[in-house]
Amino acid sequence: MTDALWVLVPTLLAVAALVAVRRRLPVLFWWLVGYPVVALRVLATYRATMDACGLTVPASAMRRATARMIGRQAAPVPPRHSLPLPTGSGLVMRLRMAAGQAPEDFTASADRLRHAWGAHAVHVRPTKPGRLELRLVGWDVLADVRPARRRLRTEPLSLPLALREDGHWHVRDFRTVPHELILGATQSGKSVYLRNLLCGLARQPVALVGIDCKWGVELAPFAPRLSALADTSDRANELLDVLVEEMEARFRLIGMTGGTGPDAVLTSDVWGLPEKARPVPVVVVVDEVAELFLAANKDDEKRRDAMVTKLIRLAQLGRAAGIYLEVCGQRFGAELGKGATMLRAQLTGRVCHRVNDETSANMALGDIALEAALAATSIPAERPGVAVVGDSSGGWSRVRSPHLTLEDAAAVCRDTSGLVPELPRLDAFRPAVAKPAESTSRPATVPTARPATE
């Protein structure tokens, strides 16, 4: 009996430890248990699984002749594969497709491969003609998303903002996708995505401009890092005028600076200018864009048409001038008014969280892929932060942003307030920020403020 207890107790403790590790540290559990088990299962059942999924081809004539000579029947041939290599969230195999096969055949069978090998998900990605990458995900990586490692932030204006369901990070690269549309209902995680974006940009030499027609309640906590903030429709109209002027001035600078001198290189955007002459990038965040489209009378309609026209101009020409748009809202549809569809066409990046109506999902993702719009409408309410990301190339994926509280995001903007660049045209729109007292032992002083917006 004693010998049995000496064996049973350590076994139970080991099982309990593995269960705890699986819940608290899924990456460690995967490396210790998950990867060896799944890799062995894949290698042992590879040929049978490929044959059952219809991913094999008939044997060659030489193989069939050899099999007849020894009195056997030549078995179908599966694609050649590499050894399953471990990743941080699963494993990856590289396949060489047989003649007549296409990546779409493997994509259609991804769900059957997932069940056959006991993986959480299977993703197929073509690498080059005749070859593809089969990536198995060991567990639900979107259940608990942690912030990305700093080593991923390697280039300016490039931020890892959300974890994709295949284990890779969705990187927001402004120089590749200059403008983006972000949609999401209340409590869907849209604000958390925006906080991660603003905090990532706050640490870089970038001018941040906010337009929040809800009297600034969404963007006011980030005021120490903002170069300009408009909190009403009238102020937004004036600020857009200034941004268009700034864009035109930058184009004049490109025309005068680019190509001057014997060693100069011709350029059509600010990134081709010498570093000393290059103006600072500007990221314009428009929160609750539907507020800009609302009109109660003729005067409101004129102002709305003017603001939408300026936004379209910035979206069409701003990339070359280093001015980028992030347009956010709870809904976005053609019924908002004149110019909504044209503005949407310029916002090639799309992020759609859970929305309240199918029209908004179709407006965000319908022109990219109908499957992406359907995936956005099926996001459960109990998983805030999950979104569908797509771009003009037609690719899309489910992602989830790491949770970031408003207090932490505001603290980052306060700590990086010294990085606010000098842009004289935006000084009149600089939000007022009170400076805290240096010490409680000193006499109280009247807080000083930055130039206020009237």
Side-chain angles (χ1 to χ4, degrees):
M1 185 66 180
T2 304
D3 294 338
L5 288 177
W6 278 107
V7 175
L8 182 60
V9 171
T11 302
L12 293 177
L13 291 177
V15 172
L18 288 176
V19 171
V21 168
R22 184 176 185 179
R23 293 182 177 179
R24 300 294 182 89
L25 301 171
V27 177
L28 180 59
F29 180 83
W30 170 255
W31 282 91
L32 293 176
V33 179
Y35 167 68
V37 172
V38 176
L40 290 175
R41 184 185 300 133
V42 169
L43 293 175
T45 64
Y46 178 78
R47 179 183 291 271
T49 302
M50 288 292 170
D51 190 17
C53 294
L55 299 176
T56 56
V57 295
S60 63
M62 183 175 294
R63 286 192 177 186
R64 292 197 302 269
T66 304
R68 284 196 299 268
M69 291 175 60
I70 61 177
R72 293 183 180 181
Q73 185 176 3
V77 179
R80 295 181 181 179
H81 66 90
S82 66
L83 290 176
L85 301 177
T87 63
S89 58
L91 59 85
V92 60
M93 283 196 313
R94 291 171 177 83
L95 274 62
R96 182 177 181 179
M97 292 179 290
Q101 291 183 328
E104 291 76 13
D105 301 331
F106 293 83
T107 302
S109 300
D111 199 49
R112 285 179 284 179
L113 295 175
R114 175 178 72 89
H115 288 289
W117 290 331
H120 178 76
V122 173
H123 299 276
V124 179
R125 183 178 69 90
T127 55
K128 56 184 179 179
R131 299 177 184 272
L132 56 83
E133 182 181 89
L134 205 64
R135 181 175 294 269
L136 277 68
V137 180
W139 72 95
D140 186 5
V141 296
L142 301 185
D144 184 18
V145 180
R146 305 295 176 87
R149 298 174 182 175
R150 289 189 177 273
R151 65 182 177 86
L152 294 177
R153 303 184 180 100
T154 55
E155 298 180 0
L157 290 176
S158 181
L159 307 168
L161 295 181
L163 185 65
R164 295 194 327 217
E165 59 184 347
D166 61 357
H168 288 131
W169 278 90
H170 165 62
V171 178
R172 176 73 173 97
D173 189 352
F174 285 86
R175 296 184 63 178
T176 302
V177 182
H179 313 303
E180 187 174 64
L181 174 64
I182 306 171
L183 293 182
T186 304
Q187 301 296 323
S188 65
K190 173 175 61 69
S191 298
V192 175
Y193 181 89
L194 189 59
R195 292 171 198 165
N196 283 278
L197 175 70
L198 289 172
C199 287
L201 292 173
R203 300 183 178 97
Q204 300 187 12
V206 177
L208 297 177
V209 175
I211 297 178
D212 182 6
C213 291
K214 293 195 306 182
W215 297 276
V217 296
E218 291 287 345
L219 299 181
F222 316 111
R225 185 58 181 85
L226 297 181
S227 298
L229 176 63
D231 54 6
T232 64
S233 298
D234 292 333
R235 294 293 288 173
N237 192 22
E238 297 172 4
L239 179 55
L240 288 173
D241 282 331
V242 173
L243 290 173
V244 171
E245 293 176 5
E246 177 71 20
M247 180 181 67
E248 294 173 351
R250 294 186 176 200
F251 275 114
R252 287 193 293 268
L253 176 64
I254 295 171
M256 291 186 297
T257 307
T260 59
D263 299 328
V265 179
L266 292 175
T267 181
S268 59
D269 58 37
V270 296
W271 297 104
L273 298 176
E275 188 173 354
K276 294 183 178 180
R278 186 185 305 160
V280 65
V282 178
V283 178
V284 183
V285 179
V286 183
D287 193 64
E288 294 301 339
V289 65
E291 294 292 330
L292 297 180
F293 286 87
L294 295 179
N297 49 50
K298 293 293 184 180
D299 294 335
D300 289 344
E301 290 181 1
K302 293 180 180 179
R303 182 182 58 197
R304 177 197 65 189
D305 295 342
M307 286 191 293
V308 174
T309 301
K310 295 165 193 173
L311 282 174
I312 293 174
R313 287 194 64 191
L314 289 173
Q316 288 178 332
L317 305 174
R319 184 204 62 81
I323 300 177
Y324 309 100
L325 292 180
E326 287 288 323
V327 179
C328 313
Q330 294 190 22
R331 61 170 287 101
F332 197 90
E335 70 277 3
L336 290 180
K338 180 182 178 182
T341 304
M342 183 178 292
L343 176 61
R344 190 276 306 263
Q346 303 297 326
L347 308 175
T348 52
R350 310 289 173 80
V351 179
C352 185
H353 295 77
R354 177 180 53 84
V355 289
N356 293 324
D357 59 303
E358 188 177 351
T359 302
S360 295
N362 289 330
M363 196 70 172
L365 302 168
D367 59 337
I368 294 177
L370 293 178
E371 297 84 358
L374 293 175
T377 57
S378 62
I379 296 175
E382 60 270 13
R383 299 198 71 177
V386 176
V388 176
V389 171
D391 54 44
S392 57
S393 66
W396 64 276
S397 177
R398 292 182 182 87
V399 301
R400 192 175 192 182
S401 304
H403 183 66
L404 180 63
T405 63
L406 182 60
E407 292 78 9
D408 293 339
V412 171
C413 290
R414 288 194 301 268
D415 295 340
T416 57
S417 59
L419 297 179
V420 178
E422 293 292 335
L423 285 176
R425 285 188 177 86
L426 300 179
D427 286 344
F429 299 89
R430 184 76 178 274
V433 180
K435 295 182 179 180
E438 296 182 1
S439 175
T440 56
S441 61
R442 297 181 180 181
T445 58
V446 178
T448 58
R450 299 185 187 273
T453 56
E454 294 293 334

